[in-house]
Amino acid sequence: MRYISTRGAAPVLDFEGVTLAGLASDGGLYVPETWPRFGKTAIAGMAGMSYVETALRVCAPFVGPAMAEAELRDLLTRAYAGFDHAAVTPLVQLDQRHWLLELFHGPTLAFKDVAMQALGLFFEAFLARSGRHVTIVGATSGDTGSAAINALAGRDGVEVFMLHPQGRVSDVQRRQMTTVLAPNIHNIAIEGNFDDAQALVKAMFNDRDFAGRFSLSAVNSINWARLMLQVVYYFYTAVRLGAPEHPVSFSVPTGNFGDVFAGYVARQMGLPIDRLIVATNENDILHRALTLGDYSAGVVKPTASPSMDIQVSSNFERLLFDLAGRDGSATAAMMRGFESARALSISAGQRAGAALAFDSARIDSDTMAQTIRWARDKCGQVIDPHTAIGLAAARACGAPAPVVTLATAHPAKFPDAVERACGIRPALPTRVQGLFDREERYVTLPAELAAIEAYIAELARPAAVAA
Ligand SMILES: *Cc1c(COP(=O)(O)O)cnc(C)c1O
């Protein structure tokens, strides 16, 4: 498989290349040149398969010759061995229409582990082959950072710098990052919000000299390999609920548009997904874009679902590229306009294209809390605020049964909000107990490019050593 940039002006790369590169050199995001298609027989053949076998089928066309099948199977087996549920991503029925897909059985209790555990192993394998060394720079609203740090701690060839907005992540989220004391892990609390942190990371990549000097690489959801690894659970779940004969809808608590875009990829590959519901909290840029064509960034409002407190959804560019007929220069022009005006309008034609697959809903904090109570009282399930946003959107939209809400975080990751909503304080699973007794290590820096670059330059290994 060959990968092209959404802005049409970066080198074409193979799977190994896009995995290590993260962002494309023209500022765009890498996407496969074509969507592989699975016919009915191939999908029906996934019935009863294990998670790892399903992952192997779904990933094979994207990985292509970059990794032999036996090595890929071994990598996926190791990635999912650390999950605390034998089904990896178990499905729970709520009522006649609604299901929850539990994506939080990995080491840091959020869905990001599902992709990140494998991505860490892809990095290690590809770097070992070439003897290269990379500096991973990332911005996190909480869950990406802990998942990346857990997956990359102590791995050879990788130095990790993770920026989080100071005071805007939960105590559990922060401690899952800052108590990892491996020497290749560096946590930076930014005096700003998540969008500031994300903008700083983008600026570092755009600083060609700096990016080249330290071989910068990214593991946030702009990294194609992560999206590919998330496509897997759409197949695994739809097949369990009757695909290819019966279509399934998914409701996805959305921030950066990565997880729901993976659902779109599955749909493009031939999986019979009826509706993809983009569920947002009060930071509703995507809901406005999909319903009104108004993709304009406002001011981030802190909510009880902090991993979705985002105004600029980086992966939306991948959808815009498809809506623009996969025209890289048209997408580049749109994104340049957005970067200068912080706003762009989606044409009626493009909106109609998106509406073939997507619905959306904006869920406020009262409805979120009511939904936590509904799930507790009617279905005996304690759910986290992000999942509650997804479930509320699923209940508000008219999609036919079955509708699967992605349960993106374990409720114990956000115990205060859950307790406020339903009076129950969820306990941390035994495998992460002790988190509050461990030593923390991080630095606090202003949201200024020069300050961050100076800090990284002091600790990272220059690329020239390996070159
Ligand atoms: C990251 C995250 C989301 C949002 O996912 P995107 O891929 O950024 O849209 C939702 N819920 C939780 C718990 C998350 O960690």
Side-chain angles (χ1 to χ4, degrees), residues 400-411:
V403 185
V404 179
T405 295
L406 272 49
T408 51
H410 191 289

Side-chain angles (χ1 to χ4, degrees), residues 109-112 141-144 173 221 226-227 230 233 252-261 279 286 305-308 310 313 315 384-387 406-410 413-414:
L109 311 179
F111 87 91
K112 308 267 189 332
S141 52
D143 295 330
T144 301
Q173 287 178 314
S221 61
R226 273 186 61 186
L227 297 190
Q230 290 169 209
Y233 46 71
V252 187
T254 296
N256 238 334
F257 205 71
D259 210 6
V260 76
F261 188 79
L286 288 167
S305 44
S307 301
M308 299 159 64
I310 284 171
S313 296
N315 277 293
D384 101 288
H386 302 78
T387 305
L406 272 49
T408 51
H410 191 289
K413 213 163 178 180
F414 303 94

Side-chain angles (χ1 to χ4, degrees), residues 94 98-101 104 251-254 277-281 304-305 308 361-376 381-396 405-411 414 417-418 421-422:
L94 293 179
H98 294 285
W99 302 73
L100 285 180
L101 177 62
F104 52 69
S251 180
V252 187
T254 296
I277 302 162
V278 177
T280 77
N281 64 22
S305 44
M308 299 159 64
R362 169 195 195 270
I363 304 299
D364 64 26
S365 55
D366 286 345
T367 309
M368 183 278 290
Q370 275 164 24
T371 307
I372 291 182
R373 285 193 290 279
W374 180 82
R376 171 75 191 91
Q381 290 291 318
V382 178
I383 60 174
D384 101 288
H386 302 78
T387 305
I389 301 266
L391 181 56
R395 296 180 76 212
T405 295
L406 272 49
T408 51
H410 191 289
F414 303 94
V418 174
C422 74

Side-chain angles (χ1 to χ4, degrees), residues 336-383:
R336 269 197 304 274
F338 177 73
E339 278 153 16
S340 59
R342 302 260 302 161
L344 83 85
S345 70
I346 317 285
S347 72
Q350 291 168 341
R351 227 146 66 217
L356 296 175
F358 294 100
D359 284 327
S360 65
R362 169 195 195 270
I363 304 299
D364 64 26
S365 55
D366 286 345
T367 309
M368 183 278 290
Q370 275 164 24
T371 307
I372 291 182
R373 285 193 290 279
W374 180 82
R376 171 75 191 91
D377 295 345
K378 301 292 181 198
C379 320
Q381 290 291 318
V382 178
I383 60 174

Side-chain angles (χ1 to χ4, degrees), residues 24-41:
S25 61
D26 58 1
L29 308 181
Y30 276 108
V31 285
E33 198 167 40
T34 56
W35 299 119
R37 294 282 302 181
F38 285 12
K40 271 196 163 182
T41 321

Side-chain angles (χ1 to χ4, degrees), residues 10 12 26 33 43 63 94 141 151 167 184 194 207 210 248 290 346 348 381 391 414 437 457 461:
V12 172
D26 58 1
E33 198 167 40
I43 296 171
V63 174
L94 293 179
S141 52
N184 69 329
F194 172 71
D207 179 346
F210 184 81
V248 178
L290 292 167
I346 317 285
Q381 290 291 318
L391 181 56
F414 303 94
D437 308 324
R461 200 161 108 185

Side-chain angles (χ1 to χ4, degrees), residues 10 13 46 65 78 95 106 141 156 166 182 193 210 221-222 235 239 277 336 339 370 409 453:
L13 297 177
M46 293 178 187
R78 284 187 290 138
D95 65 7
S141 52
D156 283 341
Q166 184 186 26
N193 60 33
F210 184 81
S221 61
I222 58 174
F235 274 89
V239 166
I277 302 162
R336 269 197 304 274
E339 278 153 16
Q370 275 164 24
E453 286 191 347

